[in-house]
Amino acid sequence: WYQRRVREAVVSTQSTGSSGINAEYGEKWAPPLIDNPNYSGVWAPRKIPNPDFFEDKTPFASLLPIAGVGIEMWTMTKDIMFDNIILTDSKATADEWAGESWNKKALIEDLASPKESLIDQWLTYAGENPIMWVLLAAAILVPVILYFLCSGGSQPAGDDAAEVKKTDKSYSR
């Protein structure tokens, strides 16, 4: 059977020419495949018993009660505070606890914190809205310009005799 296959392959190769495309079928020729007699299935590693394996049948029996929870948090946002943490499945319990502890503490902290002055509030607002700087400049410059335009052009008419006394000029009428 092997020699017959080789002859078929040679004849098939000769009929395809140098391009490898079978003229009869219009597709590239590939030799026929046969089943592998040594195939024994999908390979899997051999399994052996593990002498160091230990399975704890009661994993929580040796644990102590949880006395605290640790939270580590890194943030660049200001004004984040943590005080007490409650873990519960009841919203009513959480609301009651917040009313007894957090609401009172937040009110005390709010009353104790220094208030922002009016100037600080304006500077914060002007930092967020640059048009405020233009309005401030206009509020300062407009009165100053009006003052110089209305009062600086001519000197008031004065007493010529008083001027002569100051400068020792001759006075002729």
Side-chain angles (χ1 to χ4, degrees):
W1 67 271
Y2 177 74
Q3 292 174 352
R4 187 178 39 154
R5 294 275 176 138
V6 171
R7 272 186 296 226
E8 288 174 3
V10 170
V11 170
S12 177
T13 305
Q14 290 173 350
S15 67
T16 61
S18 61
S19 67
I21 296 178
N22 191 337
E24 294 178 23
Y25 299 109
E27 58 187 35
K28 195 163 187 159
W29 177 83
L33 301 175
I34 62 169
D35 291 336
N36 183 354
N38 296 327
Y39 179 73
S40 60
V42 178
W43 181 86
R46 194 171 50 134
K47 305 219 182 224
I48 61 171
N50 183 355
D52 296 328
F53 178 75
F54 171 74
E55 182 179 1
D56 189 2
K57 300 292 184 187
T58 57
F60 301 110
S62 61
L63 294 179
L64 297 175
I66 296 175
V69 175
I71 297 175
E72 182 175 345
M73 183 173 161
W74 180 77
T75 181
M76 294 181 68
T77 306
K78 63 178 187 172
D79 299 332
I80 291 181
M81 297 186 305
F82 289 98
D83 188 7
N84 296 324
I85 296 173
I86 182 172
L87 300 174
T88 182
D89 60 352
S90 169
K91 183 174 178 351
T93 304
D95 289 341
E96 178 185 345
W97 179 81
E100 292 174 0
S101 63
W102 186 83
N103 291 343
K104 293 176 185 176
K105 191 172 283 192
L107 179 64
I108 291 169
E109 287 178 0
D110 187 38
L111 293 175
S113 66
K115 301 296 180 206
E116 240 184 291
S117 69
L118 188 60
I119 293 172
D120 290 336
Q121 290 175 359
W122 189 88
L123 288 174
T124 302
Y125 183 74
E128 295 169 358
N129 302 300
I131 191 71
M132 293 303 295
W133 294 108
V134 174
L135 294 175
L136 177 66
I140 292 173
L141 290 178
V142 168
V144 171
I145 291 171
L146 286 176
Y147 174 76
F148 282 116
L149 288 177
C150 294
S151 65
S154 63
Q155 294 181 352
D159 186 12
D160 289 336
E163 186 65 29
V164 170
K165 288 183 181 178
K166 281 188 200 174
T167 58
D168 292 331
K169 291 183 183 178
S170 62
Y171 178 68
S172 61
R173 283 197 168 192

